[in-house]
């Protein structure tokens, strides 16, 4: 009986030791109520070191009484009231353009309260971190905004969709973050904000 338990514990430790942040559940554990780690993510991806995360939740279920509901992997809000939805996708099928559009729209309908003006709608960011380069242009990052076709100017409606290609793991800040997503050893992480939680 004891031998079986020892074997199972060894197996469990081996599985845990092989986990990295590209594993959806492990990423959720790493960022759940971990403002500092979520802040690193957003600052590096958006290239803005002034972002201050106010709160972060995992697996936020947003009910849509008129149609399809959503469960967001990670939902964070910063000190400016902006909302950030981060989705980790290992499967290419999990990150289609229309899913990004839908998540963006469901954030809008959820965060504009009755009686509020449209101008009070908060800025939203839907960020897909993908295992493969699903948009196929070999870019590390794809920033997507609406634009006016006739003059190519951005149509500033406060919504952004970003795809992050985790295959680009160079020595830039973003590349190092992508390296950390695949790292299984806390001591090898570039960003110390992840190390303590991963070690635990």
């Amino acid at each position: 009986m004891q031998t079986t338990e020892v074997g199972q514990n060894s197996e469990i430790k081996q599985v845990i030791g092989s986990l990295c942040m590209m594993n959806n559940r492990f990423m959720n554990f790493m960022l759940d109520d971990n403002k500092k780690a979520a802040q690193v993510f957003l600052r590096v991806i958006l290239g803005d070191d002034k972002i201050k995360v106010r709160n972060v939740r995992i697996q936020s279920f947003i009910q849509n009484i008129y149609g399809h509901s959503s469960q967001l992997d990670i939902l964070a809000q910063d000190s400016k009231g902006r909302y950030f939805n981060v989705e980790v996708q290992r499967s290419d099928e999990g990150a289609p353009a229309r899913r990004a559009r839908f998540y963006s729209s469901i954030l809008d309908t959820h965060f504009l309260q009755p009686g509020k003006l449209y101008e009070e709608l908060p800025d939203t960011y839907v960020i897909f971190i993908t295992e493969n380069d699903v948009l196929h242009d070999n870019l590390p990052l794809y920033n997507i905004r609406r634009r006016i076709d006739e003059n190519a100017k951005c149509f500033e409606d406060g919504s952004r969709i970003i795809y992050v290609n985790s295959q680009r793991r160079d020595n830039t800040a973003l590349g190092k973050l992508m390296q950390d997503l695949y790292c299984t050893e806390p001591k090898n992480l570039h960003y110390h904000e992840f190390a303590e939680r991963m070690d635990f």
Side-chain angles (χ1 to χ4, degrees), residues 1-180:
M1 187 70 150
Q2 272 187 327
T3 311
T4 308
E5 274 182 37
V6 169
Q8 284 176 337
N9 285 341
S10 173
E11 211 173 297
I12 289 167
K13 283 181 181 175
Q14 198 173 7
V15 169
I16 290 170
S18 69
L19 292 175
C20 67
M21 287 188 279
M22 277 306 288
N23 175 289
N24 197 293
R25 287 185 180 177
F26 194 63
M27 171 73 90
N28 290 343
F29 167 77
M30 288 289 289
L31 294 190
D32 188 21
D33 202 30
N34 189 348
K35 290 187 265 190
K36 285 184 181 176
Q39 200 163 266
V40 167
F41 254 92
L42 298 176
R43 284 180 173 186
V44 171
I45 290 169
L46 297 172
D48 180 357
D49 62 3
K50 293 193 170 106
I51 292 173
K52 289 186 179 164
V53 170
R54 187 159 50 188
N55 58 62
V56 58
R57 304 189 313 262
I58 62 156
Q59 297 302 316
S60 294
F61 185 73
I62 295 184
Q63 179 73 43
N64 177 6
I65 61 170
Y66 298 108
H68 192 74
S69 297
S70 294
Q71 188 156 318
L72 310 180
D73 285 351
I74 298 150
L75 181 64
Q77 186 185 31
D78 75 353
S79 58
K80 294 181 179 177
R82 299 178 295 183
Y83 285 94
F84 306 86
N85 166 221
V86 180
E87 299 289 321
V88 177
Q89 291 298 326
R90 298 202 88 156
S91 161
D92 292 0
E93 291 77 31
R98 287 177 187 262
R99 183 178 185 191
R101 171 185 160 190
F102 180 75
Y103 276 27
S104 182
S105 70
I106 207 160
L107 288 174
D108 287 346
T109 56
H110 189 72
F111 291 117
L112 185 63
Q113 301 302 315
K116 295 286 186 183
L117 300 173
Y118 291 115
E119 289 74 18
E120 297 176 80
L121 187 65
D123 288 357
T124 61
Y125 296 73
V126 174
I127 301 168
F128 279 94
I129 300 173
T130 60
E131 181 163 24
N132 299 310
D133 182 14
V134 297
L135 299 183
H136 310 296
D137 275 325
N138 197 31
L139 296 171
L141 202 65
Y142 299 87
N143 275 291
I144 300 150
R145 296 185 193 176
R146 290 184 176 93
R147 70 175 174 83
I148 302 165
D149 285 343
E150 286 72 20
N151 57 20
K153 288 182 179 177
C154 282
F155 182 67
E156 297 292 354
D157 63 352
S159 69
R160 297 265 295 277
I161 293 169
I162 299 168
Y163 279 74
V164 186
N165 172 13
S166 74
Q167 290 302 308
R168 293 290 296 269
R169 298 176 222 159
D170 52 26
N171 282 322
T172 63
L174 182 63
K176 287 176 180 176
L177 179 64
M178 294 304 103
Q179 290 173 43
D180 280 5

